[in-house]
Every structure is written in C-alpha cells, then in structure tokens.
Amino acid sequence: MTNVEWRYGEEISSHHIEAFEAEFGVQLPPSFKEVARQHNGAIPFPDGVAFPRPNAPGGQDVLGLGELFSFVPDGDGVSPIAKINRRYREAYPGFIVFSEAGNGWHFAFEYQPGKEEHPVVLFLFEHMSTSGCLEVAHSFDDLVASFVAGDEDELPVPEA
C-alpha cells in the first residue's frame, strides 16, 4: 500500500470504527480499519480498479474507487457508512458497503460464513440483486495493491 496516496482524509479515533463493527456484527479487515482510522473519508490516488467487462477493449474496464465512507457521525448523529449500510442491510445481507464509485456502482466487502478473508466486490445496488456482483479483489490489501490510473493506456496488458 506504499504507492497509494490517501487524499483529503483525516485521522479519527478507532472507537468510531468499533461502534460500526458492533452495530453490524462484523470485524472489518485490519488493513481497511487502519486506512479508515488514519485517512477517514479519503480518496486514494491512483484509484482505478480494473474489473472484468466482456464488451470492453481487452475484456476489462476501470472504475475509480471513490471516497471511503466516513465513520464519523454527521449532524444527525449517524455516520455515512452506517447510513448506507442500514439502507441496504435487508436487501443485501452479507455485504458491507464502504465506497460508492458513481453511476450506482458500489464497492463492498462480502461476508460469507466460515471465510477469514472478505473479498471486495463491485455491483449495482439499484438492481436489488447480487446476480451482477463482481469480485474485484480477494481482500482489501489485494484491491489497494492493484490500483491503476484511470487511463486505459495504463491498464495491465493481458497475457496471451
């Protein structure tokens, strides 16, 4: 994670993250918690996440991660990350949303019973279905390690 610059975020107390984990009954990945604690609400640079898309050149596309949802309560006493996860909790059990990429796409951790690692997935929440859910990384560390610039010229070249 050394090649990533986290922009605009601020350091917060870990009690904000612990309160979220208690409410939702999850243990967030340690590396994600550390980034969120040190850079709450930050935007990574580079931020491009390559994901499979059959109709795109090279069979993949790039979407920016976007701002990590903040753990600090706002004016109504509820944090943005808690608000979005409360909104989708019933429709999407087993997912914890942590960033919105735009155009309805969201990044989330998938929580499946018996798994120690929680893959990062990308999907359109507005479809009210996880059928279009794409795993984009096996873990938060893998996601950050794979960041690319958004320019298609900088995508990794698929091996023949």
Side-chain angles (χ1 to χ4, degrees):
M1 293 198 298
T2 57
N3 295 331
V4 175
E5 177 186 350
W6 294 94
R7 298 179 175 176
Y8 316 114
E10 58 185 36
E11 191 167 342
I12 61 169
S13 168
S14 56
H15 84 271
H16 294 295
I17 298 168
E18 292 164 1
F20 175 86
E21 289 178 316
E23 178 180 348
F24 289 90
V26 297
Q27 287 293 310
L28 295 167
S31 57
F32 173 76
K33 289 194 300 191
E34 189 59 22
V35 167
R37 191 190 63 71
Q38 291 180 4
H39 310 284
N40 182 61
I43 299 170
F45 181 79
D47 68 348
V49 176
F51 63 97
R53 186 170 167 201
N55 298 335
Q60 61 181 356
D61 205 346
V62 175
L63 189 61
L65 179 68
E67 178 181 337
L68 298 179
F69 289 122
S70 174
F71 284 89
V72 176
D74 56 19
D76 62 4
V78 180
S79 69
I81 194 166
K83 280 181 190 175
I84 191 127
N85 281 285
R86 286 177 184 174
R87 178 177 170 198
Y88 292 126
R89 184 183 336 203
E90 285 186 40
Y92 305 105
F95 291 90
I96 295 293
V97 182
F98 65 90
S99 178
E100 181 176 21
N103 297 330
W105 289 97
H106 289 72
F107 288 90
F109 293 113
E110 183 175 4
Y111 282 79
Q112 295 178 2
K115 281 189 136 183
E116 287 187 32
E117 290 283 337
H118 303 291
V120 176
V121 297
L122 173 67
F123 62 100
L124 283 167
F125 278 98
E126 282 71 19
H127 287 176
M128 299 306 282
S129 167
T130 58
S131 63
C133 181
L134 301 168
E135 182 176 317
V136 294
H138 295 295
S139 67
F140 184 72
D141 288 338
D142 288 347
L143 177 76
V144 174
S146 72
F147 283 160
V148 296
D151 185 359
E152 289 180 7
D153 295 334
E154 296 187 41
L155 281 175
V157 177
E159 294 182 17

